[in-house]
Amino acid sequence: MNVNKYLAEVLLTEEQIQIRVAELGSQISDDYASRSPLLLGILKGSVVFLSDLMRHISVPHEIDFLAISSYGKEARESSGAIKILKDLNESVAGKDLLIVEDIIDSGLTINYLIHLLRGRIPASLKICTLLNKPARRVTEVPLDYVGFDIEDRFVFGYGLDIDELFRNLPFVGVAKSGL
Ligand code: IMP
Ligand code: MG
């Protein structure tokens, strides 16, 4: 499977991503200076970002993962009907939660997760996303840390998939249209 069949152009190079991830890590380290946050990675898209980001966070912290799926993915859009495939292993009550996402698009997925997790009474809840597509937002989302605002184009690589492939790419690419 050749990536060039899918790739229209490189949007964010490996170097651009690594510089920004290090900046986010040091900002998070400052903001959580006397606390030990729990980073919640949303599977599968956030794994690459989370594993790089956590190595730039200097405060002690835990990690956990939630796996979700959204119905009606055919049109490369989330429907907002979300199913939990794997819940967190530990209770989050009283913890400083930092949700780590790959991309915020319509905002429906993250809003569902915010609602779910607030119900479990954490001490605090913040959102960190590598990518943000503000033009696609259908519901307001309070984002605390954003790697890059991008235009409304379907992207893949660095954790994001195109038909489950190419999550391993070190860069973020734009998919050819009509795939
Ligand atoms: P939302 O609920 O519309 O905000 O969708 C968020 C989820 O849709 C992300 O966690 C991704 O899994 C997926 N997604 C949205 N845009 C893209 C994209 O451009 N490439 C790959 N996945 C995407
Ligand atoms: Mg995702």
Side-chain angles (χ1 to χ4, degrees):
M1 190 77 64
N2 190 328
V3 70
N4 292 317
K5 199 181 140 203
Y6 294 88
L7 184 65
E9 62 179 289
V10 173
L11 183 67
L12 300 167
T13 65
E14 179 174 8
E15 190 191 9
Q16 285 175 304
I17 294 169
Q18 291 302 328
I19 288 169
R20 187 69 187 121
V21 171
E23 287 171 357
L24 289 172
S26 81
Q27 199 187 335
I28 291 165
S29 305
D30 289 347
D31 294 350
Y32 288 86
S34 55
R35 292 179 288 166
S36 299
L38 170 56
L39 310 189
L40 295 187
I42 310 305
L43 296 175
K44 306 170 198 169
S46 73
V47 283
V48 178
F49 177 40
L50 175 67
S51 59
D52 280 346
L53 180 68
M54 67 189 288
R55 285 175 283 177
H56 291 286
I57 297 179
S58 55
V59 295
H61 59 275
E62 299 174 65
I63 62 168
D64 203 349
F65 295 95
L66 254 173
I68 54 166
S69 74
S70 49
Y71 294 113
K73 275 250 144 180
E74 262 167 34
R76 302 201 191 288
E77 294 185 359
S78 85
S79 61
I82 285 126
K83 192 177 161 194
I84 304 275
L85 301 177
K86 181 221 162 286
D87 207 333
L88 299 171
N89 292 340
E90 311 281 339
S91 163
V92 299
K95 294 198 172 166
D96 290 303
L97 301 189
L98 180 59
I99 301 178
V100 178
E101 257 287 29
D102 53 355
I103 185 165
I104 310 294
D105 190 33
S106 69
L108 294 169
T109 306
I110 196 72
N111 265 3
Y112 174 87
L113 292 173
I114 291 169
H115 184 79
L116 176 86
L117 293 165
R118 281 208 181 122
R120 299 181 182 182
I121 328 289
S124 66
L125 178 58
K126 286 190 175 189
I127 317 288
C128 175
T129 186
L130 178 73
L131 304 175
N132 180 35
K133 280 186 194 169
R136 299 260 307 167
R137 205 57 41 80
V138 301
T139 171
E140 209 178 308
V141 183
L143 296 178
D144 301 283
Y145 306 98
V146 175
F148 302 92
D149 282 331
I150 63 169
E151 285 174 22
D152 178 16
R153 297 198 281 177
F154 193 83
V155 293
F156 67 106
Y158 199 70
L160 294 104
D161 71 299
I162 184 160
D163 300 337
E164 288 299 326
L165 296 171
F166 304 120
R167 296 186 193 276
N168 57 307
L169 297 176
F171 58 85
V172 170
V174 179
K176 284 181 179 165
S177 52
L179 285 174

